[in-house]
Amino acid sequence: MKREARTIKIDRRLTGANIIDEPLQQVIQFSLRDYVQYWYYTLSDDESFLLEIRQTLQNALIQFATRSKEIDWQPYFTTRIVDDFGTHLRVFRKAQQKITEKDDQVKGTAEDLVDTFFEVEVEMEKDVCRDLVCTSPKDEEGFLRDLCEVLLYLLLPPGDFQNKIMRYFVREILARGILLPLINQLSDPDYINQYIIWMIRDSNCNYEAFMNIIKLSDNIGELEAVRDKAAEELQYLRSLDTAGDDINTIKNQINSLLFVKKVCDSRIQRLQSGKEINTVKLAANFGKLCTVPLDSILVDNVALQFFMDYMQQTGGQAHLFFWMTVEGYRVTAQQQLEVLSSRQKDGRHQTNQTKGLLRAAAVGIYEQYLSEKASPRVTVDDYLVAKLADTLNHEDPTPEIFDDIQRKVYELMLRDERFYPSFRQNALYVRMLAELDMLKDPSFRGSDDGDGESFNGSPTGSINLSLDDLSNVSSDDSVQLHAYISDTVYADYDPYAVAGVCNDHGKTYALYAITVHRRSLNSEEMWKTYRRYSDFHDFHMRITEQFENLSSILKLPGKKTFNNMDRDFLEKRKKDLNAYLQLLLTPEMMKASPALAHYVYDFLENKAYSKGKGDFARKMDTFVNPLRNSMRNVSNAVKSLPDSFAEGMTKMSDNMGKMSERLGQDIRQSFFKVPPLIPKTDSDPEHCRVSAQLDDTVDDNIPLRVMLLLMDEVFDLKERNQWLRRNIKNLLQQLIRATYGDTINRKIVDHVDWMTSPEQVADLVKRFRDAFWPNGILAETVPCRDKAIRMRTRVAGKTKLLSIMPDELKHIIGAETTRKGILRVFEMFQHNQLNRRMVYVFLEGFLESLFPQYKFRELFNRLHSRSKQMQKYKQKLHTTQAPSLQKR
C-alpha cells in the first residue's frame, strides 16, 4: 500500500525575507506533491530522494535570490524591456508592410504574417532566429530543457549538478511543469485581451469608439460575433412586457441594437464581396473634400506638417520657413522688448545688448532668405527687400520689421498655383483631412455596382448628402438652411425613439432631436440629427474661437450643475437652444462670416458629433499651435531644413536664444533637448534594434530616450517629416517635466525599487501560487473559451484602448495615425507565435541582466540548421556576396 508522506524537516530560509519564503516554500511543496510524490511513492518508501530534490531546488533558489540582490534592475525595467517591446513592434510593422508590398489585391493570411515576421526578425537580428522555438512544440520543449540545464549549471553547486538523475528530475519539473504552462498562458491572445480589458477596467466604453472599431474591422469573425450578440439582445428586449416610461428606454435600446446589427451586416457583406475600399483612396478619387483655409493650416500642428511636406516637394519650402521664422522673431522680439521695458523701470539698463541681439537676429533672417546670396531665395518685390535692408542699416529693429514681406509671402503661398491651390488637389491634402478626422466613412457612391450605403440611420435617401458635399456649398441665397428642435421622432427609423432624458452607463443627460431642412433651387432635403447640450457647448466654443465677433452676438444658454434634468428646466433650455439656432442660421449671420457655414453643416449633419478640443487641449494650445510657440517652431523648422539652410539659421537661432539669459536657458532645457541619436551609419536604422539609435553616453536621457523612440514605433512617426517628430518629442518632454519636474528620473528609479521590493516580489509569488494551485489544488487545464466570446473580447479590448486615447493626442499626431497605431499594437497581440517570441525575448533580457557573462540567445543556435528563415537569410547573403567574390 502507498504509505503516508512524512513531513520533511529542512531549513526553510531561501531569500532572507520571510514574506517571500513562505509562499515560495508552498510552491516547492505543491510542485513536489503533484509532479513527483504521486508516482514516487508507488516505487519506493525512501524519502531521501525527495529530500535531495527539495534541497536541490532550494539551493538553486538561494543562489538565484543572492544574485538578484546584487543586480541593479533599473536599466532592465527602464531601457531593456521597452527596447525589446519597441523592436518587436518594429519587426511586426515591417512584416505588415512586406505583406502589403507583395500584393495589394490579395490579403495575406495569418500564416504568411508569421513567416514574414520571422523573416524580418532574422534580417534585423542577423545571428539569431526564434521561429522554431515559437512555432514547433517539440523544439520549444527541447529549448526549455536546454535553458533549465544552463540555469541549473549556473545556480547549483558542482556536486549537485553532477548528479544526473537529480538534475534531470529538476529540469523536467521546471521546464514542463512550470515554464511551459506559464509561457502558454502569457502567449494566449485571449488571455492578453482579457488582461488589457482588466487593466483599463475603470474607463467606460465609448459608443463612438465602438462604432469606429466595427466599421474598421476586417475580421469577419468579430463582426459575426457582435451581430449575433446584438440579435440575441434584440430577441430578449422584444420579449419584455413593459409599460409607461420604461417603453421609451426599451425602444431606444432596440433601435441602437438594430443600428449595430445593420453596420455589422453591411461590413460583412463588403468584406465577403472583396469591395473593401480605403477611405483615403476613395475620397481622393470620388469624394468632394472639405476646404481647410491656409491660415487654419498654418496654425494647426497636424495640418502644417503635411503642407510642409508638400512645399518641400515643390521647392517652395523657403517661403513657408520664412513665414514661420518671422512669426518666431516677432514673438521673441515682443517678449524681449517687454522685458527690457520692465528692467528700465527697475533701474536696470541693458538697452544696447538687447537691441544688438535683436538686430543680429533680424540680419540673420535677411541673410538667410532675402539677400542675393540666399539659396534658395524668397521671391518678393525688390523694392520691399531694399526697404528692409535700409531699415536694418539705419533704424533699430522692431517686432513688425518683416510684416510687409511676410504678408506678401503669405499671399504668394495662397494664390500661386504651385502652392496652396495645388496642395488642395494633392494626395497629401486628403491624408491631412484623414488625420484631422474630416473624412467621412466611405459611402461607396463611387463603387462599381453603384450601391449607395449609409450608416447614418436616415429614414430617407436624402442624407446621402455627406459632410463633404455640405462643406462645399456656399452661403449663397440659393441655398437655405433651417433647423429647429423637436421632442419626438419616428421610432421605426431613427436611432433614438424619443429625444429626451437618456441614460448611458449610469450617466443621465438630455438628448435633443433637431429637424434640418435644406432648400436649393432644384431640390429640398430633410433629415434629423441628435445632439446633447455638451455638443452645443463644444460647437459654440469652436465657432467663437474662430470668429471672435460672434462671442458678443451669440449667447449659449448657461450650464446648470444641479436639477439639470428637471422637466421645466429642460423645456426652457430647449426654447433657448432653438432661439440660438434661429439666430445662428439667419442669412445676415452667414453672410457676415462665410467660413462659418462649414462648422454649421458639420454640426447639423446626421452623424455622431465629433467634439473638438477638450478643456485640457484648449489650455495646451500654447504647446501645440505653431504660432503660439513660435520660438520653438523656429528651432524645429531649422532642424528640418537642408544643410544650406541649417548652417545659417543655427547662428540666428542661437542669437535669438541669447536675447534673455534666463529665457534662453529655459528654452534649451525644456524644448531643445531631444533624445540624441548616434551618427548615421551605412546600415538602415529600420533594420536595427530600437536601442541602436540611442547615445548611451548621455546620462540625462536614460529613462526618457527609449520612451520617446517607442512613441515613434507605436505611431510610425519615422514616416513623417522631422519637423513633426521633433515637435512631438519636445512637447512630450515638456509635458513630462511639467508633471513631474526635474525629479522624473528619481521617480522612475523609486518605482523600480518598489517593483523589486520584498513586498512586491512576495505578491507576485502569491499570484503565481494561486493561479497554478487555487486553494492548494493543482489547477485543471482551462478549457478554450467559445470562439464567439473570444471575438467579442477582441472587439471590447480594441474599443477600450481606443476610448482611453485622449483627444489631445489626436490633435498632436492626427486622428488616423492614433487609430492605426493603437490597432497595430492590438493586432500584434493576436498571434500566439509572435507572443511567444516576445515572452522569450523578455526572458532573455531578464536572464542576461541576472547573468551578464552569459548570452542566452546563443541557445537558439542549436536550431539554426533546421530554421527555414535562417537558411533563407544565409542563402540571401551568399547570393549578394557571390558577385563581389567572382569579381575578385
Side-chain angles (χ1 to χ4, degrees):
M1 288 180 61
K2 177 182 172 181
R3 59 177 291 180
E4 264 189 42
R6 297 199 306 267
T7 303
I8 302 174
K9 295 183 179 180
I10 57 175
D11 188 352
R12 302 178 64 84
R13 292 174 296 178
L14 297 173
T15 65
N18 186 57
I19 58 174
I20 301 177
D21 292 347
E22 183 178 347
L24 207 51
Q25 285 290 351
Q26 289 178 326
V27 170
I28 296 174
Q29 180 63 39
F30 293 154
S31 300
L32 291 175
R33 181 194 67 191
D34 294 326
Y35 295 111
V36 180
Q37 288 180 4
Y38 82 96
W39 58 263
Y40 176 74
Y41 280 135
T42 64
L43 302 177
S44 173
D45 294 335
D46 186 5
E47 296 187 352
S48 60
F49 176 72
L50 297 176
L51 176 62
E52 289 184 26
I53 290 182
R54 182 161 194 145
Q55 193 62 53
T56 300
L57 285 172
Q58 291 199 168
N59 287 338
L61 287 172
I62 290 171
Q63 289 298 320
F64 183 87
T66 302
R67 183 64 187 156
S68 298
K69 295 175 184 178
E70 299 171 356
I71 301 300
D72 178 13
W73 289 107
Q74 185 225 328
Y76 173 71
F77 284 105
T78 60
T79 302
R80 179 65 185 261
I81 282 184
V82 184
D83 170 43
D84 287 339
F85 179 79
T87 302
H88 186 84
L89 182 58
R90 175 178 292 182
V91 175
F92 180 76
R93 175 171 55 81
K94 290 184 68 63
Q96 282 186 320
Q97 291 173 353
K98 268 200 168 187
I99 288 186
T100 304
E101 292 167 1
K102 285 180 182 177
D103 195 338
D104 289 333
Q105 304 301 321
V106 180
K107 185 175 175 61
T109 63
E111 291 76 13
D112 293 336
L113 178 62
V114 171
D115 290 342
T116 308
F117 178 90
F118 288 108
E119 180 183 335
V120 175
E121 181 199 30
V122 74
E123 290 176 358
M124 186 173 293
E125 301 278 2
K126 295 183 173 55
D127 59 345
V128 65
C129 186
R130 305 172 180 85
D131 57 343
L132 286 179
V133 173
C134 299
T135 58
S136 169
K138 182 179 178 181
D139 289 312
E140 183 177 25
E141 289 182 11
F143 172 80
L144 288 176
R145 289 191 186 98
D146 291 345
L147 177 64
C148 292
E149 190 105 3
V150 172
L151 288 176
L152 293 175
Y153 170 78
L154 294 171
L155 295 172
L156 292 179
D160 290 346
F161 183 78
Q162 296 303 323
N163 188 334
K164 290 187 177 181
I165 297 178
M166 193 71 58
R167 186 172 81 237
Y168 290 163
F169 270 110
V170 175
R171 183 190 70 184
E172 291 300 312
I173 291 174
L174 291 175
R176 294 182 57 109
I178 296 177
L179 285 180
L180 188 58
L182 183 62
I183 291 170
N184 286 338
Q185 184 175 23
L186 295 177
S187 304
D188 181 15
D190 189 47
Y191 172 81
I192 295 175
N193 295 341
Q194 293 179 66
Y195 190 71
I196 289 173
I197 294 173
W198 176 83
M199 284 195 300
I200 51 181
R201 60 192 179 279
D202 294 333
S203 66
N204 291 325
C205 281
N206 180 279
Y207 173 78
E208 185 177 355
F210 171 70
M211 294 310 302
N212 275 332
I213 293 300
I214 295 298
K215 293 176 183 179
L216 294 173
S217 175
D218 57 0
N219 188 307
I220 294 179
E222 291 179 0
L223 297 168
E224 289 177 340
V226 174
R227 181 197 60 188
D228 294 344
K229 188 63 177 178
E232 180 184 328
E233 289 293 322
L234 278 169
Q235 185 177 0
Y236 169 74
L237 290 174
R238 284 168 173 163
S239 68
L240 295 177
D241 184 14
T242 57
D245 293 338
D246 290 341
I247 190 66
N248 292 332
T249 303
I250 297 299
K251 285 184 178 180
N252 285 340
Q253 294 175 354
I254 288 175
N255 280 280
S256 295
L257 289 170
L258 285 171
F259 181 60
V260 171
K261 187 172 179 293
K262 178 183 177 182
V263 173
C264 291
D265 284 333
S266 300
R267 185 71 179 157
I268 291 171
Q269 183 181 3
R270 190 174 303 116
L271 291 172
Q272 290 175 338
S273 64
K275 294 179 182 176
E276 173 66 358
I277 301 177
N278 183 285
T279 308
V280 174
K281 290 181 180 178
L282 180 74
N285 294 328
F286 303 107
K288 296 179 180 179
L289 304 178
C290 298
T291 299
V292 181
L294 179 60
D295 55 353
S296 297
I297 291 175
L298 293 175
V299 298
D300 185 275
N301 195 60
V302 175
L304 181 59
Q305 53 110 356
F306 285 99
F307 188 56
M308 187 179 296
D309 286 343
Y310 177 78
M311 294 294 280
Q312 288 177 323
Q313 289 178 8
T314 58
Q317 67 268 35
H319 299 81
L320 178 59
F321 291 141
F322 171 78
W323 189 93
M324 294 170 60
T325 303
V326 169
E327 285 295 321
Y329 169 82
R330 181 189 297 110
V331 172
T332 305
Q334 289 173 347
Q335 291 175 345
Q336 298 312 306
L337 291 177
E338 289 174 3
V339 171
L340 179 64
S341 176
S342 63
R343 287 183 174 177
Q344 287 177 337
K345 292 179 181 178
D346 296 337
R348 293 176 293 175
H349 299 281
Q350 291 182 327
T351 305
N352 293 335
Q353 181 183 6
T354 301
K355 290 183 177 180
L357 291 172
L358 280 175
R359 182 182 300 280
V363 170
I365 296 174
Y366 173 83
E367 294 289 341
Q368 185 64 35
Y369 294 105
L370 302 171
S371 66
E372 293 183 357
K373 58 184 179 181
S375 177
R377 186 186 182 197
V378 174
T379 54
V380 290
D381 297 337
D382 289 339
Y383 81 90
L384 289 176
V385 178
K387 179 182 176 182
L388 173 65
D390 184 68
T391 302
L392 288 173
N393 290 329
H394 300 95
E395 300 178 19
D396 291 333
T398 64
E400 298 79 19
I401 192 172
F402 293 101
D403 281 7
D404 291 339
I405 296 180
Q406 187 192 30
R407 196 176 301 111
K408 285 289 185 182
V409 169
Y410 177 86
E411 288 293 325
L412 178 67
M413 291 191 295
L414 180 65
R415 309 294 180 192
D416 195 313
E417 282 296 326
R418 296 172 298 165
F419 303 140
Y420 175 70
S422 296
F423 173 63
R424 288 185 53 196
Q425 309 301 321
N426 193 273
L428 284 172
Y429 184 78
V430 183
R431 287 178 55 196
M432 179 195 77
L433 293 180
E435 293 293 356
L436 295 173
D437 235 357
M438 296 178 70
L439 280 183
K440 274 186 64 67
D441 297 323
S443 62
F444 300 98
R445 285 167 289 145
S447 58
D448 295 333
D449 57 5
D451 292 339
E453 300 181 30
S454 176
F455 296 135
N456 52 29
S458 170
T460 69
S462 64
I463 278 303
N464 286 333
L465 181 75
S466 69
L467 168 63
D468 302 329
D469 300 322
L470 288 171
S471 62
N472 282 277
V473 177
S474 68
S475 57
D476 189 70
D477 291 336
S478 60
V479 178
Q480 297 179 358
L481 198 67
H482 302 281
Y484 63 92
I485 298 175
S486 58
D487 280 331
T488 58
V489 295
Y490 294 100
D492 292 336
Y493 295 107
D494 292 295
Y496 303 96
V498 176
V501 178
C502 302
N503 188 287
D504 181 22
H505 296 288
K507 295 181 178 179
T508 304
Y509 57 88
L511 188 69
Y512 301 95
I514 306 175
T515 301
V516 185
H517 293 271
R518 178 180 178 272
R519 295 187 181 89
S520 61
L521 294 176
N522 302 319
S523 64
E524 181 175 343
E525 317 261 1
M526 186 187 79
W527 65 87
K528 289 184 172 67
T529 190
Y530 304 85
R531 295 291 178 257
R532 298 169 56 175
Y533 174 79
S534 61
D535 298 330
F536 275 95
H537 184 268
D538 181 84
F539 169 70
H540 182 75
M541 293 291 288
R542 280 192 189 186
I543 61 175
T544 52
E545 280 183 356
Q546 293 293 326
F547 311 96
E548 296 181 359
N549 59 312
L550 294 182
S551 58
S552 60
I553 303 173
L554 285 173
K555 300 298 181 184
L556 186 72
K559 291 184 177 182
K560 184 178 181 182
T561 305
F562 302 103
N563 299 322
N564 55 10
M565 293 296 109
D566 178 73
R567 183 176 296 274
D568 293 337
F569 171 75
L570 290 178
E571 186 65 25
K572 181 180 183 302
R573 176 177 277 181
K574 188 189 85 169
K575 292 180 180 179
D576 293 341
L577 290 175
N578 253 327
Y580 176 87
L581 278 177
Q582 303 318 309
L583 178 60
L584 177 67
L585 295 174
T586 55
E588 295 78 8
M589 184 77 73
M590 302 297 280
K591 286 182 180 179
S593 304
L596 177 63
H598 163 70
Y599 296 91
V600 175
Y601 292 138
D602 183 25
F603 180 71
L604 294 178
E605 191 192 11
N606 191 343
K607 66 169 187 175
Y609 180 63
S610 177
K611 284 188 170 66
K613 304 174 185 177
D615 292 338
F616 177 74
R618 297 178 194 280
K619 295 175 183 176
M620 289 304 299
D621 275 348
T622 52
F623 295 102
V624 179
N625 283 350
L627 289 184
R628 297 179 185 175
N629 61 3
S630 304
M631 181 60 196
R632 276 165 279 160
N633 267 346
V634 172
S635 175
N636 292 336
V638 169
K639 293 172 185 174
S640 65
L641 291 174
D643 292 340
S644 59
F645 281 5
E647 290 175 2
M649 281 296 298
T650 301
K651 180 180 179 181
M652 183 214 68
S653 181
D654 288 342
N655 287 335
M656 292 175 73
K658 294 174 183 176
M659 292 180 185
S660 167
E661 183 177 354
R662 182 175 179 181
L663 177 64
Q665 290 174 353
D666 290 342
I667 289 173
R668 285 190 292 273
Q669 291 175 5
S670 301
F671 303 109
F672 292 163
K673 187 180 291 181
V674 295
L677 305 181
I678 60 174
K680 291 184 177 180
T681 62
D682 295 334
S683 62
D684 182 3
E686 281 285 280
H687 286 82
C688 303
R689 292 180 64 86
V690 170
S691 61
Q693 296 170 264
L694 299 172
D695 183 1
D696 290 330
T697 61
V698 182
D699 294 330
D700 185 54
N701 69 345
I702 289 175
L704 296 182
R705 54 186 180 171
V706 181
M707 291 181 185
L708 295 174
L709 282 179
L710 184 59
M711 183 93 173
D712 268 356
E713 295 305 321
V714 171
F715 298 106
D716 198 11
L717 299 180
K718 286 184 174 58
E719 299 300 320
R720 314 287 277 275
N721 59 41
Q722 291 295 315
W723 177 85
L724 174 70
R725 293 181 64 234
R726 291 185 182 277
N727 201 21
I728 291 170
K729 289 178 180 179
N730 290 338
L731 176 64
L732 290 176
Q733 279 190 316
Q734 180 65 13
L735 289 177
I736 292 171
R737 290 184 183 278
T739 306
Y740 296 102
D742 294 330
T743 63
I744 179 66
N745 289 5
R746 182 68 255 170
K747 288 182 181 295
I748 292 177
V749 172
D750 290 343
H751 187 70
V752 171
D753 291 340
W754 173 78
M755 290 172 60
T756 54
S757 66
E759 293 78 12
Q760 283 301 109
V761 174
D763 184 64
L764 290 175
V765 175
K766 289 176 182 177
R767 289 175 182 269
F768 176 80
R769 176 200 64 192
D770 295 340
F772 275 75
W773 292 278
N775 300 318
I777 301 173
L778 182 63
E780 297 181 1
T781 303
V782 179
C784 185
R785 299 200 307 163
D786 180 75
K787 180 183 177 182
I789 297 177
R790 287 186 282 120
M791 290 295 104
R792 288 198 295 271
T793 304
R794 285 181 54 158
V795 174
K798 287 192 280 189
T799 303
K800 283 273 191 179
L801 281 177
L802 204 57
S803 297
I804 65 171
M805 288 298 107
D807 289 338
E808 290 73 30
L809 184 63
K810 298 176 185 178
H811 289 300
I812 297 172
I813 64 176
E816 188 76 6
T817 297
T818 301
R819 278 194 294 266
K820 284 183 177 179
I822 295 302
L823 295 180
R824 181 188 298 117
V825 173
F826 189 88
E827 180 61 28
M828 182 181 69
F829 289 125
Q830 306 313 306
H831 303 274
N832 187 288
Q833 299 94 329
L834 308 191
N835 294 338
R836 299 185 99 81
R837 188 261 181 193
M838 186 161 54
V839 171
Y840 282 118
V841 168
F842 287 162
L843 184 60
E844 270 178 39
F846 175 78
L847 294 176
E848 288 178 3
S849 298
L850 201 62
F851 306 101
Q853 75 278 10
Y854 195 89
K855 295 296 181 184
F856 284 85
R857 61 167 41 207
E858 294 178 0
L859 290 174
F860 293 98
N861 294 344
R862 179 181 65 83
L863 304 172
H864 284 172
S865 61
R866 293 188 292 110
S867 169
K868 290 191 306 180
Q869 303 303 338
M870 181 59 75
Q871 295 307 312
K872 188 187 297 184
Y873 176 70
K874 289 182 177 179
Q875 181 65 31
K876 184 178 178 181
L877 282 180
H878 178 73
T879 304
T880 55
Q881 293 173 358
S884 60
L885 293 175
Q886 292 174 359
K887 188 175 181 180
R888 289 181 183 178

